[in-house]
Amino acid sequence: MLFLSTMMNAPLVLLLVFFYTTTIFLTSSYGTLAQSSLSKGSSLSVEKPNDVLVSSNGVFTAGFYNVGDNAYYFAIWFTQSSNSTIVWMANRDQPVNGRGSILLLSRNGNLVLKDIGRIDVWTTVTNSATQVELTLLDTGNLVLQTSENDILWESFNFPTDTLLPYQPLTRHTKLISSRSRSNYSSGMYSLFFDNDNLLHLLYDGPETSSLYWPSPAILFPVGRTTYNSSRIAFINLSGYFKSSDAFKFYASDYGEGPKRRLTIDYDGNLRLYSLDEKQGEWIVSWQAIHQMCKVHGICGVNSLCVHGIHGKRCSCLPGFKEKHSTDHDWSYGCQPKFNHSYQFGSYSDFVELPYVDFYGFDMKAPQAMSLEDCKRSCLRLDSCKAVMYQKQKGMCYPKSVLFNGIRTPSFVGTTYLRLPNEILKSYYYEPDWIVSSTQMNCSTVISHTIARDYPKDRGNRFFMYLLWFVSALGGVEMVCIVLGCCFLYRTRGDANLVQQGHLFVLTGSKKFTYRELQKATSGFSNEIGRGGGGTVYKGVLPDGRVAAIKRSDQPRQYHTLVTLVREKMSTSSTDDDDHDMASIVEQVMDPRVDSPYSVAKMEVLVKVALQCVEEEKDARPTMRKVVEMLIDHHENV
């Protein structure tokens, strides 16, 4: 009877086994049993990593996403991409705290994101007396709906920088780029329907804004129509995009299969991506702009964008410098090294920039005239920054703003940059300046001397060249010495906690910092012995163990020397006495150096060296900062 009963209940047993196996699988995949919805009165906590919503197909996850030091967004991301690519954010411009923040579906039907202290950061502004549920659908759409399936709110109606398949872009919505690759806050580029019913890309920078796609030079873009006011666009699962202005395109891997997203990236380009699920990486299957220098604002005002072997490069115009040189944010462009309020024409002249054009900001309608008349017309206007001249047509374009500068051999024209005479006396245009700028990466320090003093004595040209060569060689040697010192001192105190942990596990010993040993010995006060080139002190380690700590006499001599030099430099700076400074430099110089040297340059090198040997690691300058300090001094001398 027992056997017969078991056989009769076999389907039930198999069902229970299947349910149990499925539960185990889901638990191992998501840490806890994955949920795709949130009910009234429930919440998700930033402090619980497993407090997430997962779509039933496992493609999308919604939860708290770490974007920085103790900073979190409530976001939706692709579960299977290697870097968990975000497709939507609730609070992209106001991250919440990593402690105490929650997403709450209140009992009145309102979805609220609360920061620590229960401050409302974001809300759906909804209300319902009936049962309400928040669900993450398989499409990636986060939906707040009633038990009668009435939708109160959905994330598809509030896109950030990404469109998912069948998510509509309408007259009421737009895509806004991130600020940078790692900063997800609202950036300077957007995709939207303008009042002409056309789909446009817009640059909205700190000082100016402009449309750049479709190209402003094209009055009637091919294949576009302004006669449909519905203003709607979307992409389907196969990679086909269609807009009400008749614009359309197909993905290079057109067809159903890969997961897709259409994103306006932080660099201003609109791209369609397909997910390689084996690698978890995104592949570009279409993009709006192929030459990145055509994206407005990519290098900011008073700068130039050039296409090189490795993509675009940005550089400042002659007589200009980076605005944000510390973080090298080229979107802010460059600023003049001189007073930009020009006097009458006799106080300024022009530098020739062949094959260079600047978008828009023409001061008046172009006119046919000679090059000299074109320059004179600009010199009469204080606000004229440059003229673009097309020799073949004899057309003159005076410019009031130097924006979106681009150099390309295909451009038939030359820009003449206006500079004050005092700048032109110390700077002259080098024909290879444009070529050299192509080697500069927009994310690195730009350091290129575009001019030098005019030679006064042609008879001594050989001697001058030899003198420049010797001086440059000596300067390079000095820079190498200072950089080497900085590198040694920075790396000496840069053993991080992970490396120390590995050392302790492998050898049973731990590496201590000077401050830790100083604290353990109460300032090296309890001496218990001497010998072997040092003094032994009694110390108590953080874990309570008593240790004998030996302090070498050599570092003491080193610290004494550094302290002495620093005090002397400080005293000289206070007294502001050039003679005293020369005396101090002479004292710290190696007596074997018997050749002439510049006291001012040596003063800078000593000051830089003192910064490089600061006891606190974070107080020491970076390699980049050392180079900047040396170059700034070289340019000012």
Side-chain angles (χ1 to χ4, degrees):
M1 291 293 293
L2 180 61
F3 174 77
L4 181 61
S5 174
T6 303
M7 290 296 293
M8 292 178 65
N9 292 321
L12 178 59
V13 173
L14 290 174
L15 181 61
L16 290 174
V17 170
F18 173 76
F19 176 76
Y20 177 76
T21 304
T22 304
T23 303
I24 294 292
F25 173 75
L26 290 176
T27 302
S28 63
S29 299
Y30 303 111
T32 61
L33 188 58
Q35 56 177 340
S36 61
S37 61
L38 191 69
S39 58
K40 254 188 179 184
S42 301
S43 64
L44 301 176
S45 171
V46 70
E47 298 181 62
K48 299 177 181 179
N50 293 325
D51 262 13
V52 295
L53 302 179
V54 180
S55 60
S56 60
N57 60 3
V59 174
F60 297 98
T61 301
F64 286 95
Y65 191 100
N66 181 238
V67 293
D69 186 16
N70 199 36
Y72 288 80
Y73 291 151
F74 185 81
I76 301 172
W77 62 87
F78 274 95
T79 310
Q80 299 168 335
S81 63
S82 59
N83 58 351
S84 300
T85 306
I86 294 178
V87 298
W88 178 82
M89 294 162 278
N91 55 316
R92 71 183 305 187
D93 294 315
Q94 191 177 352
V96 295
N97 199 292
R99 298 287 299 274
S101 300
I102 62 170
L103 181 78
L104 172 66
L105 180 53
S106 59
R107 297 191 180 280
N108 65 356
N110 191 25
L111 185 64
V112 185
L113 178 61
K114 293 179 177 289
D115 203 347
I116 188 171
R118 294 298 184 262
I119 301 172
D120 292 356
V121 173
W122 173 86
T123 176
T124 57
V125 195
T126 52
N127 197 324
S128 176
T130 62
Q131 184 63 31
V132 175
E133 193 173 62
L134 180 69
T135 305
L136 182 58
L137 304 181
D138 289 349
T139 58
N141 191 11
L142 189 64
V143 176
L144 185 63
Q145 58 187 356
T146 66
S147 54
E148 289 81 21
N149 293 327
D150 293 329
I151 296 179
L152 303 178
W153 175 92
E154 57 183 319
S155 61
F156 267 21
N157 286 341
F158 302 90
T160 49
D161 63 352
T162 297
L163 277 185
L164 294 173
Y166 295 112
Q167 178 180 1
L169 184 70
T170 69
R171 63 187 301 171
H172 303 296
T173 61
K174 63 170 63 175
L175 299 185
I176 301 178
S177 69
S178 293
R179 189 66 184 86
S180 68
R181 188 187 301 274
S182 57
N183 183 349
Y184 296 96
S185 59
S186 298
M188 300 181 183
Y189 299 97
S190 59
L191 174 72
F192 72 110
F193 280 102
D194 206 350
N195 293 331
D196 59 1
N197 299 325
L198 295 182
L199 202 57
H200 284 283
L201 287 174
L202 170 73
Y203 165 73
D204 189 10
E207 297 181 1
T208 185
S209 63
S210 61
L211 299 171
Y212 60 93
W213 181 85
S215 173
I218 304 175
L219 188 59
F220 298 103
V222 178
R224 302 287 190 97
T225 175
T226 62
Y227 300 112
N228 191 328
S229 60
S230 58
R231 300 187 198 176
I232 186 170
F234 68 91
I235 188 167
N236 66 14
L237 293 171
S238 299
Y240 171 64
F241 180 88
K242 184 178 181 180
S243 171
S244 56
D245 65 356
F247 175 69
K248 58 184 178 180
F249 67 81
Y250 292 87
S252 59
D253 58 350
Y254 175 76
E256 292 189 8
K259 308 295 187 299
R260 304 183 188 276
R261 62 180 174 92
L262 182 68
T263 301
I264 180 169
D265 288 321
Y266 69 93
D267 61 4
N269 204 351
L270 181 67
R271 297 182 178 94
L272 178 65
Y273 291 92
S274 302
L275 180 63
D276 180 352
E277 296 190 36
K278 291 183 179 179
Q279 302 294 329
E281 302 295 335
W282 293 98
I283 300 171
V284 177
S285 53
W286 177 87
Q287 59 183 354
I289 298 173
H290 295 277
Q291 292 185 335
M292 287 304 299
C293 283
K294 293 185 178 180
V295 176
H296 285 190
I298 198 73
C299 293
V301 296
N302 302 322
S303 62
L304 191 66
C305 182
V306 181
H307 286 288
I309 303 174
H310 304 291
K312 68 173 180 63
R313 296 290 183 272
C314 299
S315 58
C316 290
L317 295 171
F320 291 78
K321 61 182 180 181
E322 273 186 80
K323 270 192 177 180
H324 281 219
S325 58
T326 53
D327 57 4
H328 305 290
D329 187 346
W330 278 99
S331 61
Y332 289 91
C334 305
Q335 60 186 0
K337 298 178 181 177
F338 53 89
N339 185 353
H340 222 149
S341 178
Y342 297 120
Q343 300 294 324
F344 192 67
S346 60
Y347 294 95
S348 60
D349 212 331
F350 297 92
V351 169
E352 180 181 352
L353 306 177
Y355 309 111
V356 171
D357 186 27
F358 291 91
Y359 167 77
F361 297 98
D362 297 333
M363 300 185 67
K364 54 185 177 181
Q367 295 177 312
M369 60 180 71
S370 68
L371 174 59
E372 292 305 314
D373 288 340
C374 180
K375 291 181 178 179
R376 279 193 287 268
S377 67
C378 178
L379 292 175
R380 297 189 187 100
L381 303 172
D382 287 350
S383 58
C384 182
K385 309 289 177 59
V387 294
M388 192 279 286
Y389 190 75
Q390 290 183 312
K391 185 176 180 180
Q392 291 82 350
K393 300 179 181 178
M395 301 300 291
C396 177
Y397 302 81
K399 302 284 184 177
S400 60
V401 176
L402 303 179
F403 175 64
N404 203 51
I406 181 173
R407 179 198 182 259
T408 173
S410 62
F411 176 69
V412 182
T414 300
T415 291
Y416 294 86
L417 175 66
R418 184 180 181 184
L419 292 175
N421 282 345
E422 62 266 22
I423 298 295
L424 290 173
K425 288 178 182 178
S426 56
Y427 285 88
Y428 71 89
Y429 171 67
E430 297 185 45
D432 65 341
W433 173 76
I434 297 295
V435 178
S436 300
S437 70
T438 62
Q439 305 304 317
M440 300 179 184
N441 192 306
C442 295
S443 61
T444 58
V445 179
I446 292 189
S447 173
H448 181 71
T449 303
I450 58 173
R452 58 181 73 94
D453 292 335
Y454 286 103
K456 296 181 180 179
D457 187 356
R458 292 182 177 273
N460 293 328
R461 178 175 296 180
F462 174 79
F463 174 76
M464 291 297 296
Y465 284 161
L466 182 61
L467 180 61
W468 273 104
F469 174 78
V470 173
S471 300
L473 186 60
V476 170
E477 289 186 18
M478 290 182 182
V479 170
C480 291
I481 292 172
V482 174
L483 291 178
C485 290
C486 286
F487 176 80
L488 290 176
Y489 281 107
R490 284 183 64 83
T491 53
R492 179 181 297 176
D494 199 24
N496 57 38
L497 294 177
V498 176
Q499 292 172 329
Q500 291 190 27
H502 289 169
L503 180 64
F504 183 82
V505 171
L506 294 174
T507 66
S509 61
K510 182 180 186 300
K511 187 175 182 180
F512 293 89
T513 65
Y514 178 84
R515 283 192 175 277
E516 288 174 331
L517 296 177
Q518 190 177 38
K519 183 178 179 181
T521 58
S522 300
F524 301 101
S525 59
N526 192 357
E527 181 178 332
I528 60 176
R530 290 175 175 269
T535 306
V536 182
Y537 298 88
K538 178 183 177 181
V540 180
L541 301 179
D543 59 3
R545 289 180 296 167
V546 178
I549 299 173
K550 183 177 181 180
R551 184 185 186 189
S552 174
D553 290 335
Q554 205 170 9
R556 181 183 298 176
Q557 298 168 7
Y558 157 77
H559 283 291
T560 302
L561 176 61
V562 172
T563 303
L564 177 63
V565 174
R566 184 172 280 119
E567 288 176 353
K568 286 181 174 294
M569 293 293 290
S570 177
T571 303
S572 176
S573 298
T574 304
D575 297 341
D576 196 17
D577 190 334
D578 293 338
H579 178 73
D580 287 347
M581 180 56 65
S583 176
I584 293 171
V585 169
E586 184 177 356
Q587 292 178 43
V588 300
M589 282 290 292
D590 190 330
R592 290 173 295 180
V593 179
D594 57 355
S595 59
Y597 58 86
S598 168
V599 173
K601 290 183 178 179
M602 291 308 303
E603 178 188 356
V604 172
L605 290 175
V606 172
K607 288 180 178 179
V608 172
L610 287 175
Q611 292 185 49
C612 290
V613 296
E614 286 286 350
E615 192 167 287
E616 288 293 336
K617 176 177 69 68
D618 294 335
R620 303 172 199 152
T622 62
M623 294 297 121
R624 175 179 293 174
K625 185 63 178 177
V626 169
V627 175
E628 287 178 353
M629 288 189 291
L630 295 177
I631 291 176
D632 287 343
H633 172 74
H634 177 72
E635 291 179 345
N636 293 330
V637 170

